[in-house]
Amino acid sequence: MTQPAAAPAGGAAQPGADAPDVALLVTCLVDAFRPSVGFAAVRLIEEAGCKVHVPESQTCCGQPAWNSGDRDGAAALAARTIEAFEGYDYVVLPSGSCAATMIKDYPEMFRAEDPMRARAEALAAKTHELVSFLADIRGMTGVEAALSGSATYHDSCSGLRSLKIKDQPRALLASVEGLELREMQESDVCCGFGGTFCVKYPEVSGVMAGDKTRNAAETGADLVLAGDLGCLMNIAGKASREGLSIKARHVAEVLAGMTDTPAIGEE
């Protein structure tokens, strides 16, 4: 695979004074394991004509606690997130699973009589997964990035089933100069990560991950892309253990033309 072309000269254009204020929720995995995804998200949001803010008080969105049955713990984290992010025009996340938690689950964390319920609903209404925000809200139809090679796309469960994200990443990736998209078999089937699922059911998870990496590798693509870092770390780890040559990257890195960093799991 050849080296990526440089990003457009000068980077993103500076947003105008009337540009919407977008708060980026970086997510725990991006912050801890793949900060380059956060920087790519900033570039893409700015290219969509928005001003980006990254509230320093942000923490976990509460998804692990909610999925594990800790309603009180999840609600406490949700309340903290709402307070940090409700003052912006939009909230954007480079993760379908975290975005789905805020959009679908936050209102359910608070009882109808709780004042936080209305605030959770208001935040949910202006929260979006990154690629969906670019395509569906800002009307972005293409990017200026270039990458010589081929890629296949994995549809993460939360993004696909909860947020209906499927065509948007493919449409934007089709505009990346030099990139060939190759569809894998069962692109919409779970990779086996599922948060705590891979811990509770490691044998089942391992089989599912093996199916996913095999389907991705059989396309002959250089890269497997997705919108959720948890899925990508799971896929990259399995591919490495199986000695497969396919590499994993977050879709934002490719769309932003920021692929000069090592692939996920590489030194």
Side-chain angles (χ1 to χ4, degrees):
M1 185 171 177
T2 60
Q3 291 296 314
Q14 291 299 313
D18 59 347
D21 290 300
V22 174
L24 177 67
L25 199 157
V26 177
T27 79
C28 299
L29 290 182
V30 169
D31 181 50
F33 296 104
R34 194 72 175 174
S36 58
V37 174
F39 292 117
V42 169
R43 175 176 290 187
L44 289 167
I45 296 169
E46 289 181 341
E47 287 180 351
C50 305
K51 292 178 287 187
V52 183
H53 308 266
V54 185
E56 293 186 6
S57 60
Q58 64 179 281
T59 59
C60 176
C61 70
Q63 178 190 173
W66 179 252
N67 290 347
S68 299
D70 181 7
R71 184 186 183 107
D72 291 341
L77 286 167
R80 180 184 178 93
T81 302
I82 292 167
E83 291 171 357
F85 284 85
E86 62 187 345
Y88 300 93
D89 296 317
Y90 298 101
V91 180
V92 174
L93 304 84
S95 164
S97 60
C98 297
T101 296
M102 295 176 66
I103 296 168
K104 302 289 187 178
D105 298 332
Y106 268 20
E108 300 302 316
M109 295 182 187
F110 304 97
R111 294 178 173 82
E113 64 274 14
D114 189 330
M116 288 300 299
R117 176 67 174 261
R119 293 170 68 182
E121 291 173 344
L123 187 74
K126 60 182 180 181
T127 297
H128 305 275
E129 183 272 342
L130 173 63
V131 178
S132 175
F133 176 74
L134 298 174
D136 300 331
I137 304 302
R138 299 301 293 171
M140 184 180 287
T141 58
V143 294
E144 297 183 28
L147 180 64
S148 179
S150 55
T152 190
Y153 195 85
H154 162 66
D155 298 293
S156 65
C157 295
S158 293
L160 176 65
R161 292 168 178 81
S162 295
L163 304 178
K164 311 303 180 187
I165 298 169
K166 184 176 178 67
D167 296 334
Q168 301 95 320
R170 290 170 171 81
L172 291 179
L173 286 169
S175 71
V176 176
E177 184 180 352
L179 183 65
E180 176 192 358
L181 285 176
R182 302 179 182 179
E183 285 292 333
M184 74 172 91
Q185 293 293 318
E186 299 181 334
S187 65
D188 59 349
V189 173
C190 179
C191 72
F193 176 62
T196 57
F197 176 85
C198 62
V199 178
K200 294 178 178 178
Y201 308 101
E203 295 84 3
V204 178
S205 173
V207 172
M208 296 172 72
D211 290 342
K212 178 61 61 175
T213 54
R214 182 177 62 254
N215 286 334
E218 285 178 351
T219 67
D222 304 305
L223 295 172
V224 55
L225 307 176
D228 264 291
L229 189 54
C231 300
L232 288 163
M233 291 172 66
N234 188 45
I235 293 169
K238 185 67 171 179
S240 176
R241 293 190 296 275
E242 294 184 338
L244 300 176
S245 61
I246 193 167
K247 305 301 181 182
R249 286 191 179 276
H250 194 285
V251 63
E253 296 175 309
V254 173
L255 294 177
M258 297 173 64
T259 54
D260 54 341
T261 56
I264 294 169
E266 291 188 326
E267 293 292 336

